[in-house]
């Protein structure tokens, strides 16, 4: 039972990490209709920036903030210079953001090399607590707490603020929002910055949990896309549930069926899409 409990909490921790990056991805997709395949590369960039900051004597918390802001600024530049040129053009979005993913990945290899790195957990969280006869890292519990806090924050922004109302309206009817005098371009830019910063933020939290290595951008992107598809396009609530499902299944799969863990994840995705093609919380398209 101790092993099962430890693996369950570990799966939830991984799920919360997947939720943090998938939330940014699904918000960008839901509000802007932009398929951003460079999102995983932004996650990786956040990790490596934090690694550099910490290696130069900056503490983990300040490095977390700096990395999120830096990736957010980078996202602002991307949206203003490149992304805004391909609004409404799905094929061009896919090609552009896929190219951006390759450019960012190769730049990371050139700057930081190809050796696997690890961001050390902050001293206050670099310890373990006993669960039965086993020790469980406190940092994983912290990731669970941050994921839940983010979910509450997104709910509050969506349900209780004017910004959330504008975003919901923009998802339903962009033309109406523009007719009301709201600058949709500013909304789109803000959403992209938020999504990019969230990717960088989750990349820093993922550093102590996953490590940093070449190819992690593609791996985390595939997992995030699975989460988004299961949860429903444009639904952060769906991303939350989908991420929990994938995180728990992935951990239990790696423990009990290591050679079939990803196959199990894809099978679950197929079953959900057969039952609900729009995803768990996605809306049916008339």
């Amino acid at each position: 039972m101790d092993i099962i409990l430890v693996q369950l909490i570990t799966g939830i921790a991984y799920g919360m990490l997947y939720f943090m990056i998938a939330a940014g991805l699904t918000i960008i997709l839901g509000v802007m209709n932009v398929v951003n395949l460079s999102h995983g590369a932004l996650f990786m960039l956040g990790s490596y920036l934090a690694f550099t900051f910490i290696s130069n004597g900056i503490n983990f918390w300040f490095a977390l903030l700096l990395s999120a802001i830096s990736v957010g600024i980078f996202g602002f530049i991307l949206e203003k210079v490149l992304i805004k040129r391909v609004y409404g053009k799905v094929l061009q979005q896919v090609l552009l953001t896929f190219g951006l993913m390759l450019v960012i990945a190769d730049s990371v290899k050139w700057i930081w090399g190809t050796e696997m790195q690890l961001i050390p957990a902050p001293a206050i969280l670099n310890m373990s607590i006993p669960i039965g006869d086993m020790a469980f890292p406190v940092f994983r519990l912290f990731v669970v707490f941050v994921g839940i806090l983010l979910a509450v924050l997104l709910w509050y922004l969506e349900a209780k603020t004017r910004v959330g109302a504008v975003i919901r309206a923009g998802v339903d009817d962009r033309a109406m929002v523009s007719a009301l005098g709201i600058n949709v371009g500013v909304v789109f830019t803000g959403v992209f910055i938020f999504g990019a910063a969230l990717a960088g933020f989750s990349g820093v939290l993922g550093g102590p949990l996953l490590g940093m290595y070449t190819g992690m951008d593609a791996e985390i992107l595939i997992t995030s896309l699975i989460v988004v598809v299961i949860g429903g396009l444009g639904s952060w609530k769906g991303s939350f549930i989908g991420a929990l499902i994938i995180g728990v299944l992935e951990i239990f799969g790696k423990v009990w069926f290591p050679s079939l863990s990803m196959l199990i994840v894809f099978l679950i995705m197929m079953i959900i899409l057969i039952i609900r093609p729009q995803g768990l919380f996605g809306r049916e398209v008339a």
Side-chain angles (χ1 to χ4, degrees), residues 74-91:
F74 184 62
F76 169 76
I77 296 171
L78 289 182
E79 195 276 336
K80 283 298 184 184
V81 176
L82 297 173
I83 301 297
K84 68 181 301 182
R85 301 176 185 273
V86 293
Y87 285 155
K89 304 173 183 176
V90 176
L91 179 58

Side-chain angles (χ1 to χ4, degrees), residues 24 36 38 50 58 61 65 73 85 96-97 127-128 153 156 169 174 182 187 218-219 222 246 270-271 277 286:
N36 182 20
S38 66
I58 296 176
W61 306 110
L65 180 62
I73 293 172
R85 301 176 185 273
L96 173 62
T97 56
M127 61 184 72
S128 299
L153 176 63
Y156 180 80
R174 291 185 180 86
I182 297 172
V187 174
E219 291 181 11
I222 291 172
I246 296 305
M270 290 172 57
I271 292 170

Side-chain angles (χ1 to χ4, degrees), residues 2 24 36 45 50 64 68 87 136 193 195 221 231 265 279:
D2 292 344
N36 182 20
L45 183 61
L64 177 64
Y87 285 155
F136 189 83
I193 291 172
L221 175 66
V265 168

Side-chain angles (χ1 to χ4, degrees), residues 51-131:
F51 175 77
T52 299
F53 293 142
I54 293 171
S55 299
N56 285 278
I58 296 176
N59 70 63
F60 178 89
W61 306 110
F62 196 38
L64 177 64
L65 180 62
L66 281 178
S67 297
I69 292 174
S70 299
V71 177
I73 293 172
F74 184 62
F76 169 76
I77 296 171
L78 289 182
E79 195 276 336
K80 283 298 184 184
V81 176
L82 297 173
I83 301 297
K84 68 181 301 182
R85 301 176 185 273
V86 293
Y87 285 155
K89 304 173 183 176
V90 176
L91 179 58
Q92 288 90 329
Q93 291 171 10
V94 170
L95 293 174
L96 173 62
T97 56
F98 182 73
L100 285 172
M101 180 183 75
L102 297 179
V103 169
I104 295 172
D106 283 346
S107 298
V108 167
K109 291 179 186 178
W110 178 59
I111 296 171
W112 287 282
T114 58
E115 292 185 6
M116 184 171 182
Q117 305 288 353
L118 184 70
I119 296 176
I124 192 173
L125 300 175
N126 194 16
M127 61 184 72
S128 299
I129 59 173
I131 297 181

Side-chain angles (χ1 to χ4, degrees), residues 5-272:
L5 181 58
V6 166
Q7 298 306 326
L8 177 62
I9 301 174
T10 300
I12 293 173
Y14 275 71
M16 288 298 95
L17 182 64
Y18 296 152
F19 163 64
M20 281 184 264
I21 184 171
L25 185 63
T26 197
I27 289 170
I28 290 173
L29 181 59
V31 176
M32 304 171 65
N33 264 344
V34 171
V35 182
N36 182 20
L37 297 183
S38 66
H39 205 70
L42 297 178
F43 173 93
M44 180 171 68
L45 183 61
S47 293
Y48 278 92
L49 285 174
F51 175 77
T52 299
F53 293 142
I54 293 171
S55 299
N56 285 278
I58 296 176
N59 70 63
F60 178 89
W61 306 110
F62 196 38
L64 177 64
L65 180 62
L66 281 178
S67 297
I69 292 174
S70 299
V71 177
I73 293 172
F74 184 62
F76 169 76
I77 296 171
L78 289 182
E79 195 276 336
K80 283 298 184 184
V81 176
L82 297 173
I83 301 297
K84 68 181 301 182
R85 301 176 185 273
V86 293
Y87 285 155
K89 304 173 183 176
V90 176
L91 179 58
Q92 288 90 329
Q93 291 171 10
V94 170
L95 293 174
L96 173 62
T97 56
F98 182 73
L100 285 172
M101 180 183 75
L102 297 179
V103 169
I104 295 172
D106 283 346
S107 298
V108 167
K109 291 179 186 178
W110 178 59
I111 296 171
W112 287 282
T114 58
E115 292 185 6
M116 184 171 182
Q117 305 288 353
L118 184 70
I119 296 176
I124 192 173
L125 300 175
N126 194 16
M127 61 184 72
S128 299
I129 59 173
I131 297 181
D133 295 328
M134 305 184 69
F136 189 83
V138 172
F139 186 79
R140 294 181 183 178
L141 293 176
F142 174 72
V143 173
V144 173
F145 170 77
V146 173
I148 294 173
L149 187 64
L150 174 64
V152 173
L153 176 63
L154 289 176
W155 167 81
Y156 180 80
L157 288 175
E158 180 186 56
K160 302 294 183 179
T161 66
R162 184 174 183 273
V163 172
V166 169
I167 290 176
R168 291 199 310 274
V171 172
D172 293 331
D173 193 337
R174 291 185 180 86
M176 179 193 71
V177 173
S178 298
L180 291 174
I182 297 172
N183 191 328
V184 177
V186 172
V187 174
F188 279 13
T189 300
V191 167
F192 198 87
I193 291 172
F194 178 76
L198 191 54
F201 179 85
S202 55
V204 181
L205 293 182
L209 201 61
L210 304 175
M212 302 180 307
Y213 50 90
T214 56
M216 68 181 294
D217 54 331
E219 291 181 11
I220 201 69
L221 175 66
I222 291 172
T223 303
S224 299
L225 288 173
I226 293 173
V227 168
V228 170
V229 169
I230 288 176
L233 301 181
S235 170
W236 67 264
K237 299 173 187 176
S239 292
F240 183 82
I241 301 300
L244 281 177
I245 293 172
I246 296 305
V248 171
L249 281 178
E250 183 180 16
I251 293 302
F252 276 101
K254 287 179 178 178
V255 172
W256 303 107
F257 309 101
S259 60
L260 300 175
S261 59
M262 285 308 297
L263 175 62
I264 294 171
V265 168
F266 280 104
L267 283 175
I268 294 298
M269 181 182 71
M270 290 172 57
I271 292 170
I272 290 175

